[in-house]
């Protein structure tokens, strides 16, 4: 299985750090040597989509792709941020943190600082340099990774820390209040608490979670459609409102508490769209729990079938797929070694994820990509991922 090199212990290799520091020096015109580096992973959700904000279950992994935030504390209250991949700089004072109406990326950092300050932490000014290899805007949660890495960077510079579940909740508030997306807790939680070689079954109501070892024979391949998520935020927020309206009609605090029977009994009271939205959520919660059982029993074909069913439900009932995601899932299902495939994350573009037999990973990637390109004229990006550890912070690893 050549597609997957072994994981290294240091998630920010010295060469990557040098590159990020170099970008800071270039954009701000002064040399920069980090005292600390915080790194947080992207994620891919294996099953349990659009269930988190309904109090349901999700089953994500943190992936071996990271956002790195290199930190140098300052003697004053200023924050300067250089973002390597954007070739852009942000500056703000900790005494007056406002949203930047123009630059969405800057709001992740400003929002983290604002929420940490609101939580009572006495932050210090810092210079930050950001880079990494989580594809941005591609459905693997680069935003949660930026939030988590930035939060730990600010805390470490101030000599503080907080429990990781609380940090995840704080970063979710950044997204909800500062960025303006009513997202659930999944992305921030897995980026905070992911573990190597394990997937996380997270109860999004109680935040209790259980790590489930992934068998060696399960390789997950991220299939990036390269179709940017169009109108993603407003459609996402709309889905969430529809679920809340459905739950209110059903007389439950969240759809998590409505089983298939209760939903069927209330069908005549719901309009057709709300009914389908609720049906997706209720059935997806069931599929997620069944999928975890299948995995624990070593039944990968059953896990794959549940992934396929999840995609159909997201496409037909929840209506968050698009032509490109459907084309990718269809191409994946015809390629060698594929046991199941579905869109992952919010939808409307972004990525699919496929479960593939290890011996077939290379052929799978080649054939899925070729078929997808013929169908859509877009060049996709497919890569196998490994379940990896969550956010970490420490002194930088430098070349000896
Ligand atoms: C986005 C959100 C998550 C979750 C997924 C859909 O990734 O950030 O909270 O709702 O969509 O499952």
């Amino acid at each position: 299985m050549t597609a997957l090199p072994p994981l290294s212990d240091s998630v920010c290799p010295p060469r990557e750090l040098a590159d990020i520091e170099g970008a800071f020096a270039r954009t701000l015109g002064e040399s920069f040597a980090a005292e600390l580096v915080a790194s947080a992973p992207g994620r891919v959700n294996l099953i349990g989509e659009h269930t988190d904000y309904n109090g349901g279950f999700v089953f994500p992994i943190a992936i071996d792709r990271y956002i790195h935030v290199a930190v140098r504390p300052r003697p004053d209250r200023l924050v300067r941020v250089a973002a390597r991949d954007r070739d852009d700089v942000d500056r703000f004072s900790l005494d007056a943190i406002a949203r930047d109406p123009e630059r969405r990326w800057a709001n992740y950092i400003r929002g983290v600082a604002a929420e940490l300050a609101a939580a009572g932490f006495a932050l210090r000014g810092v210079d930050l340099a950001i880079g990494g290899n989580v594809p941005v805007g591609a459905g693997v949660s680069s935003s949660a990774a930026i939030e988590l890495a930035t939060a730990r960077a600010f805390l470490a510079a101030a000599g503080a820390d907080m429990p990781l579940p609380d940090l995840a909740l704080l970063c979710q508030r950044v997204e909800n209040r500062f960025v303006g997306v009513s997202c659930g807790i999944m992305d921030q939680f897995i980026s905070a608490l992911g573990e190597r070689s394990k997937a996380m079954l997270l109860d999004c109501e109680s935040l209790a979670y259980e790590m489930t070892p992934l068998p060696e024979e399960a390789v997950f391949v991220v299939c990036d459609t390269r179709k940017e998520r169009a109108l993603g935020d407003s459609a996402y927020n709309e889905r969430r409102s529809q679920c809340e309206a459905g739950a209110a009609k059903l007389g439950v605090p969240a759809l998590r508490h409505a089983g298939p029977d209760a939903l069927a009994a209330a069908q005549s009271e719901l309009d057709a769209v709300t009914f389908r939205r609720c049906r997706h959520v209720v059935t997806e919660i069931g599929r997620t729990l069944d999928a975890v059982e299948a995995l624990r029993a070593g039944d990968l074909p059953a896990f794959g079938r549940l992934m396929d069913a999840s995609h159909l439900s997201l496409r037909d009932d929840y209506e968050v797929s698009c032509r490109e995601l459907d084309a990718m899932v269809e191409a994946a299902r015809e390629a060698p070694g594929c046991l199941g495939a579905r869109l992952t994350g919010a939808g409307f573009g972004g990525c699919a994820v496929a479960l593939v037999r290890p011996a077939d990973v290379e052929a799978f990637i080649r054939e899925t990509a070729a078929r997808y390109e013929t169908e859509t004229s877009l060049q996709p990006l497919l890569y196998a991922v490994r379940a990896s550890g969550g956010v970490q912070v420490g002194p930088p690893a430098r070349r000896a």
Side-chain angles (χ1 to χ4, degrees):
M1 201 176 34
T2 51
L4 294 172
L7 283 176
S8 75
D9 276 337
S10 162
V11 296
C12 186
R15 184 197 291 199
E16 174 84 356
L17 177 63
D19 200 44
I20 294 169
E21 290 176 332
F24 185 100
R26 219 177 31 253
T27 45
L28 279 139
E30 65 186 71
S31 70
F32 177 83
E35 284 183 23
L36 294 163
V37 182
S39 303
R43 65 95 186 92
V44 62
N45 188 21
L46 306 182
I47 193 161
E49 218 64 80
H50 289 280
T51 51
D52 62 352
Y53 52 83
N54 289 297
F57 293 87
V58 293
F59 195 53
I61 58 174
I63 60 174
D64 45 340
R65 301 232 167 187
Y66 289 83
I67 294 287
H68 307 293
V69 176
V71 198
R72 178 174 67 182
R74 297 176 56 91
D76 55 18
R77 305 273 298 155
L78 188 64
V79 177
R80 298 188 302 174
V81 194
R84 180 189 60 189
D85 300 331
R86 297 182 181 272
D87 220 8
D88 196 7
V89 173
D90 187 36
R91 287 182 184 77
F92 61 92
S93 161
L94 289 172
D95 297 320
I97 310 173
R99 283 182 84 242
D100 183 330
E102 306 285 307
R103 287 178 306 169
R104 188 188 167 102
W105 77 265
N107 286 324
Y108 293 110
I109 290 93
R110 291 175 174 219
V112 165
E115 287 296 334
L116 285 171
F121 289 100
L123 300 183
R124 284 181 70 173
V126 282
D127 285 333
L128 304 176
I130 302 183
N133 62 355
V134 186
V136 171
V140 287
S141 259
S142 59
S143 55
I146 290 179
E147 290 153 11
L148 264 300
T150 303
R152 285 213 82 187
F154 271 115
L155 286 172
D161 213 346
M162 70 194 287
L164 291 174
D166 296 341
L167 197 63
L169 285 164
L170 184 139
C171 289
Q172 182 196 14
R173 289 202 294 277
V174 172
E175 197 97 30
N176 294 167
R177 295 179 184 168
F178 229 81
V179 182
V181 182
S182 315
C183 70
I185 187 60
M186 170 171 69
D187 303 346
Q188 289 77 14
F189 209 87
I190 186 69
S191 184
L193 286 141
E195 280 181 32
R196 189 185 278 207
S197 307
K198 290 177 183 158
M200 173 190 278
L201 175 63
L202 173 64
D203 177 335
C204 297
E205 191 168 75
S206 68
L207 297 189
Y209 64 95
E210 235 175 279
M211 302 307 297
T212 304
L214 292 170
E216 286 278 307
E217 316 82 66
V219 175
F220 290 96
V221 176
V222 170
C223 312
D224 184 346
T225 60
R226 288 293 180 85
K227 158 83 177 148
E228 288 230 356
R229 292 180 43 199
L231 295 175
D233 295 351
S234 54
Y236 182 94
N237 292 347
E238 181 194 62
R239 293 297 180 286
R240 186 168 180 155
S241 310
Q242 289 167 334
C243 290
E244 283 161 5
K249 280 251 160 124
L250 288 163
V252 288
L255 286 178
R256 146 76 173 272
H257 298 282
D261 294 345
L263 181 60
Q267 182 167 2
S268 60
E269 289 159 46
L270 299 172
D271 66 80
V273 172
T274 308
F275 175 72
R276 281 189 288 114
R277 301 293 187 256
C278 295
R279 184 165 61 187
H280 164 73
V281 174
V282 169
T283 58
E284 182 77 355
I285 290 173
R287 276 187 293 273
T288 306
L289 296 172
D290 291 347
V292 176
E293 279 307 303
L295 194 74
R296 287 184 182 147
D299 190 348
L300 293 181
F303 192 94
R305 283 192 296 276
L306 289 158
M307 291 175 78
D308 291 339
S310 168
H311 183 77
L312 296 183
S313 178
L314 287 159
R315 185 190 72 185
D316 300 335
D317 273 355
Y318 218 61
E319 295 180 279
V320 292
S321 191
C322 60
R323 191 173 77 81
E324 292 80 4
L325 279 167
D326 291 340
M328 184 66 88
V329 167
E330 277 159 34
R333 287 311 279 116
E334 289 183 21
C338 183
L339 295 173
R342 52 182 290 279
L343 75 83
T344 184
F348 314 107
C351 292
V353 59
L355 172 58
V356 182
R357 292 200 186 279
D360 294 313
V361 167
E362 282 177 33
F364 169 86
I365 289 179
R366 201 174 48 244
E367 292 190 24
T368 305
R371 237 185 229 120
Y372 175 79
E373 195 174 340
T374 308
E375 189 63 33
T376 61
S377 304
L378 290 171
Q379 256 192 0
L381 179 67
L382 280 79
Y383 52 98
V385 288
R386 287 234 176 133
S388 302
V391 66
Q392 54 174 255
V393 66
R398 295 200 184 272
R399 231 168 293 173

